[in-house]
């Protein structure tokens, strides 16, 4: 039952418009709420982000009442507490707030205040003829959006928005949708700690989870077939089959054991098994992009870790040489060694066991001892089950072209999200350019957008800026997209101390922002990008701070 609680240190609701303030709740140990004023109304809500618990007092509040977390870009509506943008799933709890007798009070339940969230209302008894089918991974080697953010974003938003039709997820993945980011960032292998929702949550929402492998889709009869011989009719179809990690077609890599790809929980379990409890292993990581760098960081303790990359600096293609060197210095502090500008020749067997890898040979003649090897050289869209289907045309990379609503061209009611989707990007510098983005937030926001289109056909496409984060010795935040290229980068802060904001420009237009230890620069930049009010590259070069720039009410992307 809701009770009245006094807020410490307040005698009146005296916040200015656009101000937010974290306050303690009297009588509840560690109890806090966030106050935020929009116009003439002061709102009281949970004080921490429901994603990873970041204090929302550090976030960005917009004129219309969007509150964006400073860490990973989760966005909430302060009026309702509802989630507006990924990666958060649970909405904020809202509390009645009022003045009385020279003090300020809220009304709420102690458990809800402590929980810092409320559970979304997804309970449903499916009915009617409408059927949404979600296609997950084709096989266990492909990471599917069933086990990630695209599917959970779609199915939860469908129920939140009142869709009462039947919903079925088909995938051979051995787990429910999970927080896949923790696989590479923390090498976490306990699915109970990774799955976003337990099975009874899906049951209560009338969401069927089918463990089977999709073998094809008949777009004319609107049915999905599986290898077990079953057929699933649909009225709406969401293709979320994700990506397949790329292997190295080089001598030794196909035949020797203890060479791993990383995309699933069994992959992490196998890697941890090869490392062993005593550790002390020689680990060679091939690939210096995000997966490779995150795994190097995670395994650096008590192992000898070597990263092999073709670029002159880690992440150079996305971040540039100067910023890539910052990441390299950070991870080197943990003892990780780098061979950059290097190409792999082959994997050689161990002397003690010819079935296992013992070393990796580079083309310059260098031989790297290896008890295990982890390959992180990218993924390909997992669309093999559609390759011979005349009803759909795949892009050259195997992805699926969609419109702004992630609906597949010439196939009404069929959607593609996540790693397989190539969609028109309208963020800064995008100009509708077809882009495929392998970001966690993009997949979940795409899922939410598709759910809105299905539940409310008149809904406009969801307008969001891509955001991702990475653990590279310190926390990296990134927003925007630089796949169309960039001409110059402006660095603010203290790059030598890994405390910086990097602004990537195409001409004078900032197309992407990366930051470390500069919160909430990334979140503020993402909101400015949405509104077409990002400073020019020259203004930033001359010292202008995005934190000093106002947020217009109008969204322009």
């Amino acid at each position: 039952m809701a009770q009245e609680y006094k807020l410490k240190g307040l005698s009146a609701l005296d916040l200015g418009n656009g101000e937010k303030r974290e306050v303690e709740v009297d009588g509840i140990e560690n109890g806090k709420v966030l106050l935020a004023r929009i116009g003439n109304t002061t709102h009281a809500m949970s004080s921490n982000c429901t994603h990873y618990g970041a204090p929302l007092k550090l976030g960005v509040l917009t004129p219309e009442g969007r509150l964006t977390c400073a860490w990973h870009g989760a966005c909430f509506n302060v009026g309702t507490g509802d989630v507006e943008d990924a990666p958060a799933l649970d909405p904020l709890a809202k509390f009645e707030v009022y003045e009385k007798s020279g003090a300020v009070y809220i009304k709420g339940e102690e458990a809800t205040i402590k929980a810092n969230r409320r559970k979304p209302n997804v309970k449903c008894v499916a009915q009617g003829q409408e059927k949404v089918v979600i296609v997950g991974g084709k096989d266990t080697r492909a990471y599917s959006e069933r086990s990630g953010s695209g599917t959970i974003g779609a199915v939860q938003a469908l129920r939140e928005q009142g869709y009462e039709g039947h919903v079925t997820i088909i995938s051979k993945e051995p787990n429910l949708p999970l927080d896949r980011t923790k696989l590479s960032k923390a090498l976490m292998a306990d699915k109970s700690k990774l799955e976003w929702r337990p099975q009874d949550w899906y049951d209560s929402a009338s969401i069927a989870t089918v463990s089977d492998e999709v073998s094809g889709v008949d777009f004319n009869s609107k049915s999905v077939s599986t290898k077990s011989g079953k057929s699933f009719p649909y009225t709406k179809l969401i293709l979320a089959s994700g990506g397949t990690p790329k292997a190295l077609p080089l001598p030794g890599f196909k035949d020797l054991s203890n060479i791993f790809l990383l995309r699933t929980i069994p992959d992490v379990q196998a890697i941890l098994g090869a490392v062993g409890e005593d550790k002390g292993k020689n680990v060679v990581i091939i690939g210096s992009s995000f997966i490779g760098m995150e795994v190097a960081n995670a395994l650096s303790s008590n192992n000898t870790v070597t990263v092999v990359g073709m670029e002159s600096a880690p992440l150079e293609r996305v971040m540039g040489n100067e910023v890539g060197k910052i990441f390299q210095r950070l991870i080197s502090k943990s003892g990780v060694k780098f061979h950059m500008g290097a190409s792999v020749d082959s994997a050689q067997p161990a002397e003690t066991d010819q079935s296992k890898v013992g070393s990796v040979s580079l083309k310059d003649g260098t031989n790297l001892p290896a008890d295990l090897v982890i390959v992180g050289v990218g993924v390909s869209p997992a669309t093999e089950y559609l390759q011979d289907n005349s009803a759909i045309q795949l892009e050259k990379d195997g992805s699926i072209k969609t419109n702004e609503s992630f609906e597949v061209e010439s196939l009404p009611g069929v959607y593609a999200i996540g790693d397989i989707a190539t969609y028109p990007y309208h963020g800064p510098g995008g100009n509708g350019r077809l882009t495929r983005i392998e970001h966690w937030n993009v997949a979940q926001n795409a899922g939410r957008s598709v759910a809105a289109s299905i539940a409310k056909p008149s809904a406009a496409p969801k307008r969001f800026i891509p955001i991702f984060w990475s653990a590279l010795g310190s926390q990296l935040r990134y927003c925007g997209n630089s796949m169309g290229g960039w001409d110059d980068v402006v660095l603010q802060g203290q790059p030598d101390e890994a405390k910086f904001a990097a602004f990537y420009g195409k001409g004078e237009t900032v197309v992407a922002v990366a930051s470390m230890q500069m919160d909430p620069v990334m979140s503020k930049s993402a909101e400015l990008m949405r509104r077409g009010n990002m400073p020019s590259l020259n203004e930033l070069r001359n010292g202008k701070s995005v934190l000093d720039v106002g947020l217009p009410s109008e969204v322009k992307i």
Side-chain angles (χ1 to χ4, degrees):
M1 180 179 294
Q3 299 181 39
E4 182 178 82
Y5 293 95
K6 183 179 179 181
L7 300 183
K8 294 182 179 181
L10 290 182
S11 58
L13 290 171
D14 56 358
L15 281 72
N17 186 26
E19 183 183 353
K20 58 188 184 302
R21 188 184 305 169
E22 182 184 89
V23 293
E24 296 182 8
V25 180
D26 196 15
I28 298 180
E29 186 177 3
N30 298 319
K32 297 177 182 178
V33 296
L34 185 77
L35 302 180
R37 180 172 174 177
I38 300 295
N40 295 321
T41 304
T42 299
H43 301 269
M45 68 207 77
S46 303
S47 62
N48 292 74
C49 180
T50 63
H51 178 228
Y52 283 176
L56 288 172
K57 66 180 180 180
L58 304 177
V60 176
L61 183 62
T62 70
E64 75 276 21
R66 274 170 54 98
L67 178 58
T68 303
C69 174
W71 287 4
H72 307 128
C75 178
F76 306 89
N77 183 310
V78 300
T80 63
D82 292 342
V83 175
E84 293 205 351
D85 283 347
L89 290 175
D90 288 343
L92 303 176
K94 288 295 302 295
F95 308 101
E96 181 184 353
V97 59
Y98 48 91
E99 298 175 354
K100 188 177 77 171
S101 304
V104 176
Y105 295 82
I106 62 166
K107 188 171 288 186
E109 296 181 358
E110 180 177 357
T112 303
I113 296 170
K114 286 183 174 180
N116 257 306
R117 67 187 64 217
R118 62 180 166 86
K119 293 297 182 182
N121 182 16
V122 298
K123 289 185 178 180
C124 175
V125 177
Q127 55 189 298
Q129 301 301 311
E130 292 290 312
K131 294 180 173 66
V132 172
V133 172
I134 301 175
V135 175
K138 183 176 181 293
D139 55 49
T140 53
R141 182 59 269 151
Y143 158 70
S144 74
E145 292 302 332
R146 168 181 169 178
S147 63
S149 62
T151 291
I152 190 65
V155 298
Q156 178 168 312
L158 279 169
R159 292 304 188 220
E160 285 178 320
Q161 297 189 42
Y163 180 79
E164 295 183 341
H166 300 269
V167 178
T168 302
I169 304 170
I170 307 172
S171 174
K172 201 176 178 181
E173 283 287 313
N175 46 261
L176 296 167
L178 51 80
D179 187 350
R180 187 176 62 88
T181 65
K182 292 179 179 177
L183 295 182
S184 59
K185 292 174 174 61
L187 291 178
M188 188 176 291
D190 184 347
K191 74 174 186 176
S192 68
K193 296 179 180 179
L194 291 167
E195 290 178 342
W196 285 113
R197 304 295 192 199
Q199 182 62 54
D200 58 10
W201 183 90
Y202 296 90
D203 296 339
S204 69
S206 290
I207 297 168
T209 57
V210 177
S211 181
D212 205 342
E213 185 173 343
V214 171
S215 56
V217 180
D218 187 330
F219 294 104
N220 294 318
S221 66
K222 294 189 174 183
S223 66
V224 175
S225 56
T226 66
K227 279 199 170 182
S228 69
K230 295 179 182 178
S231 180
F232 295 84
Y234 67 83
T235 56
K236 296 289 190 296
L237 177 65
I238 302 175
L239 302 173
S241 42
T244 301
K246 295 178 180 178
L248 285 179
L250 297 173
F253 280 89
K254 184 178 180 180
D255 305 320
L256 297 174
S257 64
N258 278 7
I259 297 178
F260 305 101
L261 302 172
L262 176 53
R263 203 67 173 172
T264 66
I265 290 176
D267 292 336
V268 175
Q269 292 170 336
I271 290 169
L272 293 177
V275 171
E277 293 184 3
D278 295 333
K279 301 184 179 181
K281 298 297 192 297
N282 290 309
V283 183
V284 174
I285 297 171
I286 300 173
S288 58
S289 193
F290 292 102
I291 295 296
M293 292 289 281
E294 289 172 356
V295 173
N297 185 57
L299 286 176
S300 61
S301 177
N302 298 318
N303 293 298
T304 300
V305 179
T306 303
V307 174
V308 179
M310 296 182 69
E311 301 170 298
S312 62
L315 302 162
E316 183 178 23
R317 184 177 64 87
V318 177
M319 299 289 185
N321 182 275
E322 187 175 4
V323 175
K325 291 289 188 183
I326 296 174
F327 305 144
Q328 183 172 343
R329 289 194 298 270
L330 270 176
I331 294 184
S332 293
K333 291 179 180 179
S334 298
V336 176
K337 301 173 184 177
F338 287 86
H339 285 263
M340 302 306 300
S343 295
V344 176
D345 179 74
S346 61
Q348 302 297 324
E351 292 183 1
T352 55
D353 187 342
Q354 292 288 301
S355 68
K356 294 182 178 180
V357 68
S359 64
V360 172
S361 296
L362 306 184
K363 288 189 176 179
D364 65 3
T366 302
N367 196 55
L368 302 173
D371 297 304
L372 65 149
V373 176
I374 301 166
V375 178
V377 293
V379 301
S380 300
T383 53
E384 297 88 349
Y385 62 102
L386 298 172
Q387 282 183 350
D388 298 322
N389 195 317
S390 60
I392 188 169
Q393 182 176 351
L394 301 179
E395 298 296 290
K396 289 183 179 180
D397 63 355
S399 65
I400 300 171
K401 182 180 177 182
T402 76
N403 61 20
E404 286 86 352
S405 297
F406 297 95
E407 190 171 28
V408 179
E409 287 194 343
S410 75
L411 290 173
V414 178
Y415 302 86
I417 60 175
D419 289 355
I420 66 170
T422 293
Y423 73 100
Y425 177 63
H426 291 285
N431 302 316
R433 180 179 183 268
L434 289 173
T435 307
R436 187 172 74 88
I437 302 176
E438 300 170 3
H439 296 346
W440 184 255
N441 280 27
V442 171
Q444 189 172 321
N445 280 327
R448 295 177 62 84
S449 179
V450 168
S453 297
I454 294 172
K456 300 175 182 177
S458 61
K462 186 172 179 59
R463 299 180 287 181
F464 63 91
I465 295 294
I467 287 174
F468 74 81
W469 65 97
S470 188
L472 302 174
S474 187
Q475 292 295 312
L476 169 71
R477 331 274 194 213
Y478 183 98
C479 69
N481 182 265
S482 63
M483 297 307 292
W486 45 274
D487 307 315
D488 198 5
V489 58
V490 171
L491 281 171
Q492 295 182 349
Q494 295 85 47
D496 290 341
E497 300 175 14
K499 182 179 181 180
F500 69 91
F503 301 90
Y504 297 85
K506 184 82 169 176
E508 283 298 303
T509 300
V510 175
V511 297
V513 177
S515 72
M516 274 185 165
Q517 302 185 74
M518 294 280 282
D519 296 336
V521 165
M522 181 277 290
S523 293
K524 180 68 177 290
S525 296
E527 282 294 350
L528 289 169
M529 288 178 177
R530 290 180 78 241
R531 296 156 200 273
N533 202 41
M534 191 71 188
S536 70
L537 203 64
N538 194 51
E539 288 176 313
L540 294 162
R541 188 179 291 110
N542 291 330
K544 191 166 190 174
S545 170
V546 296
L547 300 182
D548 295 332
V549 180
L551 289 168
S553 297
E554 183 182 1
V555 175
K556 293 187 176 181
I557 66 167

